[in-house]
């Protein structure tokens, strides 16, 4: 159900757009048709404006373009080269600003980030701990120990 | 023009503009053939000067050729071209200090005779001359609004976009233009050659 159109609004639309409903604002055409279906007075008003539209239609044929102008217009592509598009993905300033901001971020990180030595100092104890743990770990058994072990096992089996 | 014809024309025009963007001279000339007459009439209505109107149409066509890649199919090609023409024409009017302020809302309403509701019957050629004379006497913005909507078939929304005004302002311009034209047709003025 469309919202009813006030008479004043209907008359304002007729006065502006005339009798051709296709020129009217789309949102109001439905309500206008409903009003026209029930009001003879509004139908008469629309018909009067439609008659004036017919008067206007006689002036609807645009004038011929003078031959000299048409020639100038047709020569435009020959005289003015099209501009080359070096960035076909929309406005070029968007990625340019993005790259500039990324570069600025990188430079400021390089200037203000903590120095590399401090990081190295934090890792030094870990290296030392690895070294000391290597010293404390038991030595790997020598080849002789393995031989003895093998022999002992054999003795136990023989016993 | 039916809705399907309108959609077809819209698609055809958009395709032509895309081809112009790729450097297709034939597509450019097709668009010129379609729209130059309308644009010339529109520019003449706004500028009231045939030579300046021709210059504006040439500048519009130059922009069509050079900026076709920037066209967004969200607007009809006719709206886009009329908007370029209007902006160029208004720039010229401003440069010459000729942009007239809008007349008061009721100025034309007072001048409208009652008989304006029923235009007298005169033969077609004389009606065309009378219409031209009446159109020539309209203020620029009224003439522009009426030409866009009633002669070139743009919707109210499209015409408002071209003129860069709101829907209410457009309706006001159209209503005043129609009233003034009716008055001009029923009481042809001395300026209407061959009519009086």
């Amino acid at each position: 159900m469309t919202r009813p159109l006030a008479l004043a609004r209907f008359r304002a639309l007729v006065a502006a757009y005339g009798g051709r409903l296709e020129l009217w604002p789309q949102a109001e055409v439905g309500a206008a048709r409903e009003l026209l279906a029930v009001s003879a007075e509004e139908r008469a008003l629309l018909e009067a404006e439609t008659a004036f539209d017919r008067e206007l239609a006689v002036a609807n044929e645009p004038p011929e373009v003078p031959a000299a102008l048409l020639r100038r217009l047709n020569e435009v592509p020959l005289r003015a080269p099209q501009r080359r598009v070096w960035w076909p993905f929309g406005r070029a300033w968007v990625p340019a600003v993005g790259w500039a901001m990324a570069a600025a971020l990188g430079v400021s990180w390089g200037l203000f980030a903590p120095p590399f030595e401090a990081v190295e100092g934090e890792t030094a104890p870990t290296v030392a701990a690895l070294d000391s743990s290597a010293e404390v770990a038991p030595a790997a058994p020598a080849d002789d120990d393995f031989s003895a072990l093998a022999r002992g096992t054999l003795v136990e089996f023989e016993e | 023009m039916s809705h399907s014809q309108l959609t077809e024309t819209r698609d055809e025009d958009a395709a032509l503009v895309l081809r112009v963007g790729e450097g297709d001279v034939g597509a450019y000339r097709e668009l010129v053939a379609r729209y130059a007459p309308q644009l010339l009439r529109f520019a003449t209505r706004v500028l009231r000067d045939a030579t300046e109107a021709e210059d504006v149409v040439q500048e519009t066509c130059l922009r069509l050729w050079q900026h076709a890649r920037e066209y967004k199919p969200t607007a009809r090609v006719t709206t886009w071209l009329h908007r370029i023409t209007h902006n160029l024409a208004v720039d010229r009017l401003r440069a010459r200090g000729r942009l007239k302020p809008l007349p008061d809302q009721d100025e034309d309403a007072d001048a409208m005779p009652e008989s304006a509701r029923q235009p007298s019957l005169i033969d077609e050629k004389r009606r065309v001359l009378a219409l031209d004379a009446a159109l020539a006497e309209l203020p620029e913005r009224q003439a522009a609004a009426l030409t866009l909507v009633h002669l070139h078939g743009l919707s109210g929304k499209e015409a408002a976009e071209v003129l860069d005004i709101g829907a209410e302002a457009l309706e006001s311009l159209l209503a005043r233009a129609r009233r003034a034209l009716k008055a001009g047709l029923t009481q042809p003025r001395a300026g209407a050659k061959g009519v009086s």
Side-chain angles (χ1 to χ4, degrees):
Chain A
M1 174 103 186
T2 50
R3 195 176 160 195
L5 198 62
L7 283 179
R9 177 62 184 149
F10 178 86
R11 288 173 185 181
L13 287 168
V14 173
Y17 296 105
R20 294 167 60 196
L21 293 181
E22 69 267 24
L23 296 177
W24 289 36
Q26 286 295 307
E28 294 176 285
V29 171
R33 287 189 198 282
E34 286 176 7
L35 184 61
L36 285 167
V38 296
S39 170
E41 192 182 350
E42 305 317 314
R43 278 199 303 275
L45 185 62
L46 192 80
E47 278 164 21
E49 293 296 330
T50 305
F52 180 65
D53 289 337
R54 282 195 291 271
E55 294 275 324
L56 271 181
V58 301
N60 205 14
E61 197 61 38
E64 276 192 25
V65 177
L69 174 63
L70 194 58
R71 195 166 52 249
R72 264 161 49 207
L73 298 180
N74 283 333
E75 285 173 358
V76 161
L78 309 176
R79 294 182 178 178
Q82 279 183 317
R83 292 178 185 175
R84 290 184 67 84
V85 177
W86 55 274
W87 180 260
F89 309 111
R91 294 178 178 177
W93 64 266
V94 176
V97 168
W99 280 108
M101 286 177 69
L105 190 66
V107 169
S108 60
W109 177 263
L111 288 174
F112 301 111
F116 185 68
E117 287 76 19
V119 175
E120 193 178 28
E122 284 172 11
T123 56
T126 312
V127 174
L130 284 172
D131 289 347
S132 61
S133 64
E135 286 169 11
V136 172
D143 286 348
D144 291 347
D145 296 332
F146 284 116
S147 306
L149 186 61
R151 277 199 303 276
T153 308
L154 186 63
V155 170
E156 282 173 10
F157 181 73
E158 285 172 350
E159 284 174 355
Chain B
M1 186 180 278
S2 70
H3 182 71
S4 61
Q5 282 176 314
L6 197 68
T7 309
E8 197 177 315
T9 307
R10 183 177 181 158
D11 293 345
E12 268 182 34
D13 286 351
L16 284 171
V17 174
L18 289 177
R19 282 168 50 198
V20 173
E22 291 162 3
D24 187 333
V25 176
Y28 162 82
R29 288 183 177 156
E30 175 68 33
L31 282 169
V32 167
R34 281 186 192 190
Y35 287 108
Q38 285 190 1
L39 298 177
L40 183 61
R41 173 163 67 180
F42 181 56
T44 308
R45 292 273 176 255
V46 176
L47 287 162
R48 313 287 170 82
D49 183 307
T51 309
E52 276 196 306
E54 288 187 7
D55 289 347
V56 161
V57 172
Q58 188 174 351
E59 179 69 18
T60 302
C61 290
L62 178 66
R63 295 201 180 186
L64 162 66
W65 173 245
Q66 292 192 321
H67 297 270
R69 281 172 185 267
E70 294 163 26
Y71 166 71
K72 300 275 187 301
T74 49
R76 278 206 293 158
V77 172
T78 181
T79 310
W80 184 56
L81 292 175
H82 276 93
R83 176 146 200 178
I84 295 172
T85 304
H86 183 253
N87 289 347
L88 291 168
V90 167
D91 285 349
R92 283 175 178 253
L93 288 178
R94 286 203 178 115
R96 289 158 179 74
R98 275 173 45 195
L99 196 59
K100 292 177 188 168
L102 284 175
D104 290 340
Q105 181 97 10
D106 297 329
E107 186 182 314
D108 295 317
D110 293 341
M112 181 183 71
E114 199 54 39
S115 58
R117 285 184 178 278
Q118 302 207 336
S120 61
L121 290 174
I122 47 179
D123 66 77
E124 188 169 311
K125 191 174 178 184
R126 296 179 86 187
R127 284 210 310 269
V128 172
L129 289 169
L131 263 173
D132 278 346
L135 270 166
E137 296 216 354
L138 290 179
E140 286 101 348
R141 287 162 67 84
Q142 288 183 25
L146 187 125
T147 303
L148 287 171
V149 174
H150 291 296
L151 302 183
H152 294 178
L154 271 70
S155 70
K157 191 180 167 193
E158 289 171 330
E161 193 184 320
V162 169
L163 300 175
D164 199 19
I165 56 177
E168 279 184 26
L170 178 82
E171 285 171 13
S172 171
L173 285 174
L174 286 173
R176 280 181 282 150
R178 285 176 70 92
R179 280 200 300 266
L181 272 189
K182 285 176 194 168
L185 284 175
T186 50
Q187 290 189 332
R189 297 178 191 182
K193 295 168 201 154
V195 176
S196 56

